[in-house]
Amino acid sequence: MYVNNIEIYDNVYGGYGIGRLQNGKVVFVPFAVNGDIVNIKIKEEKKSFSYGELIEVVKSSPHRVDGFCKYIGFCGGCSYGFLDDNFEIEVKKRIVENSFRNISDFKIDEYIHSNKRDYRVRCRMRLKKGDLFYKKFNSNELVPVDECPILKKGILDKIKDIAAIYSDTDCDISIIENEKEEELIFLDSDIDITDSKYNIKSKICQKGLKSIEFNINKHTIPAGYRSFFQTNRYLFESFQRKVVELLRGYETVLEFYCGSGFFTIPLSKVVRRIVAIDQNDEALRLLKQHATGRAELLNIDLKKDINNIKGRFDAVLVNPDRDGLSKGVLKLIMDKKPENIVYVSCNPQTMSRDIKYFITKYKISQFTIVDQFYKTYHIESIAVLTKF
């Protein structure tokens, strides 16, 4: 069903503009912004709202700009690629404030950002018959691409080269590249890559380096083929420094979802003891090689073995994926009764949900947005919770 002349009056997390149908029902429209009047196609009906597909912008919002990328509206990556920079910040602030509207006296204390384009040091694409693809917005449908303004240039050059070399391959390809132009490339395939000129790995074999290193605030942070690493190279230093300063001087720190040590390694030099937990074998192996003796590393499935975490901790650091914290982790933290909880998140909705669990014993004493994801709807935030 097609519906014309829908006025977009706000934006919400997930990359959607919000409008109302004639019957008053809310409709969520990707790639639309406050002030647009749009024609849409209803893609999915829910009981109390609908999802629409943008067909035409009848009247443009004053906040729209052109020229960021030719794939805006097709590729699902840069949901805010059509927004002017200042309004993108306003939208993200408002989304965070709306996510925390049920927590009294909430305020954003600091907003750290960069509007440099080629910020991403890692990405995942689809390699298919020599062509490269991203996914469409909220879909598994593929969009062929030959450029990406938010990717570090060397990454795209290497992926294109790989696509040409392995033109008969159909698989996902992941890459990360450091400031020395060293790369790790993973092909999710059984292909033989033993004669490659790159540091590359497939399901059956590996060629070249097993890991690379990033120098961040004079700390060596390792990255592996399949371990998580942060995204925005222009904000690495400020992001890391912010979290470390919040925890500097504590006696004992418990860290959940430590990865390969983006925070753990510098923290292990400024606290007496840090217990860092993850369940990624590669990440913990790399972290073990770089963290100081003050760091105790635990490989724990937090959905099963959470009761194995013993001891008292002055502070807790959590950095979960966008799904947030499990009920078991929430309960464990509350039982440990730390003086402070530092919560790092890329999803304000699950972050606010989890913080509501703590709010009977803790208050938000500081809140910072670190906008790692320029031109996308993702929002990285740091909340400091202090015990009453």
Side-chain angles (χ1 to χ4, degrees):
M1 180 178 72
Y2 291 87
V3 183
N4 293 333
N5 297 317
I6 298 295
E7 183 177 355
I8 304 299
Y9 62 86
D10 204 352
N11 289 82
V12 295
Y13 181 75
Y16 295 99
I18 313 177
R20 287 193 183 275
L21 303 177
Q22 288 184 344
N23 61 6
K25 192 176 185 181
V26 167
V27 60
F28 296 98
V29 184
F31 302 105
V33 64
N34 183 14
D36 280 341
I37 296 177
V38 298
N39 296 337
I40 65 171
K41 179 182 179 182
I42 301 298
K43 297 289 288 184
E44 186 178 357
E45 292 274 13
K46 300 287 188 180
K47 185 175 181 180
S48 58
F49 62 89
S50 301
Y51 289 108
E53 176 186 353
L54 179 64
I55 301 299
E56 180 186 8
V57 179
V58 178
K59 181 181 178 182
S60 293
S61 164
H63 307 297
R64 277 189 173 272
V65 294
D66 294 323
F68 182 76
C69 178
K70 64 184 179 182
Y71 298 113
I72 297 297
F74 300 99
C75 167
C78 292
S79 302
Y80 294 156
F82 61 94
L83 291 184
D84 73 63
D85 290 355
N86 290 333
F87 194 68
E88 179 184 353
I89 292 173
E90 286 185 36
V91 166
K92 289 181 173 179
K93 283 183 176 180
R94 190 163 66 245
I95 287 171
V96 170
E97 289 167 347
N98 285 339
S99 297
F100 284 82
R101 63 186 178 277
N102 293 326
I103 295 178
S104 61
D105 300 322
F106 174 80
K107 66 183 179 70
I108 298 167
D109 298 292
E110 186 178 10
Y111 195 105
I112 301 170
H113 74 105
S114 167
N115 59 4
K116 294 181 180 179
R117 295 188 173 200
D118 56 338
Y119 64 85
R120 288 193 68 97
V121 299
R122 60 182 177 88
C123 81
R124 183 175 182 177
M125 303 180 85
R126 185 74 183 180
L127 170 57
K128 191 173 185 179
K129 295 182 179 179
D131 292 324
L132 294 166
F133 299 83
Y134 279 136
K135 289 182 179 180
K136 281 190 173 182
F137 181 85
N138 214 13
S139 168
N140 287 322
E141 190 175 345
L142 298 174
V143 179
V145 297
D146 60 9
E147 64 181 52
C148 178
I150 64 174
L151 269 186
K152 191 171 181 283
K153 185 178 184 301
I155 288 179
L156 194 57
D157 291 342
K158 289 173 182 177
I159 291 182
K160 286 182 177 180
D161 195 21
I162 290 290
I165 295 169
Y166 302 102
S167 58
D168 294 332
T169 305
D170 183 351
C171 70
D172 286 338
I173 176 172
S174 303
I175 183 171
I176 183 169
E177 182 184 270
N178 64 13
E179 65 269 25
K180 297 178 182 177
E181 314 302 324
E182 297 170 328
E183 77 291 323
L184 299 178
I185 300 170
F186 181 78
L187 290 173
D188 194 7
S189 167
D190 294 332
I191 192 169
D192 183 355
I193 45 81
T194 52
D195 62 344
S196 175
K197 64 183 178 180
Y198 295 108
N199 303 308
I200 188 169
K201 185 176 183 179
S202 73
K203 290 181 177 179
I204 62 171
C205 54
Q206 188 258 330
K207 170 73 167 56
L209 296 173
K210 294 183 179 180
S211 64
I212 59 174
E213 297 172 347
F214 289 79
N215 186 281
I216 303 170
N217 291 318
K218 299 182 180 180
H219 301 292
T220 300
I221 313 296
Y225 286 96
R226 305 297 282 165
S227 57
F228 172 77
F229 203 84
Q230 300 295 337
T231 300
N232 191 325
R233 62 189 176 123
Y234 298 116
L235 293 178
F236 282 162
E237 292 189 355
S238 55
F239 186 25
Q240 184 190 79
R241 189 183 304 116
K242 180 71 180 180
V243 171
V244 171
E245 288 305 312
L246 289 170
L247 292 164
R248 179 185 294 274
Y250 280 98
E251 288 285 302
T252 53
V253 175
L254 175 61
E255 180 185 8
F256 291 97
Y257 317 101
C258 63
S260 60
F262 185 84
F263 299 121
T264 318
I265 290 169
L267 280 171
S268 72
K269 300 175 183 179
V270 299
V271 302
R272 186 175 66 83
R273 174 174 174 256
I274 180 168
V275 175
I277 299 170
D278 209 294
Q279 62 185 79
N280 184 304
D281 293 337
E282 179 189 52
L284 290 173
R285 175 179 58 80
L286 294 172
L287 175 52
K288 187 175 181 179
Q289 297 170 7
H290 292 83
T292 72
R294 299 176 185 177
E296 178 184 345
L297 310 182
L298 300 179
N299 191 330
I300 291 179
D301 183 341
L302 291 173
K303 295 180 180 179
K304 297 179 181 178
D305 305 323
I306 196 163
N307 292 327
N308 294 336
I309 303 169
K310 307 296 183 183
R312 177 188 173 279
F313 299 91
D314 301 311
V316 170
L317 168 62
V318 296
N319 184 17
D321 62 22
R322 66 190 63 178
D323 291 333
L325 302 176
S326 68
K327 291 182 179 179
V329 171
L330 288 167
K331 183 178 184 304
L332 177 72
I333 295 172
M334 191 69 96
D335 290 344
K336 294 292 182 183
K337 302 177 182 178
E339 290 299 317
N340 282 80
I341 303 166
V342 177
Y343 194 136
V344 180
S345 172
C346 64
N347 183 340
Q349 294 185 330
T350 55
M351 185 187 202
S352 65
R353 177 203 68 196
D354 293 344
I355 287 176
K356 287 173 191 173
Y357 181 88
F358 297 117
I359 215 68
T360 56
K361 299 288 180 66
Y362 292 82
K363 66 177 181 179
I364 300 176
S365 56
Q366 188 179 142
F367 194 96
T368 301
I369 294 177
V370 183
D371 191 3
Q372 282 208 95
F373 307 103
Y374 178 56
K375 295 303 178 189
T376 84
Y377 71 78
H378 301 289
I379 308 170
E380 194 89 26
S381 302
I382 306 167
V384 181
L385 307 181
T386 303
K387 192 166 68 172
F388 294 142

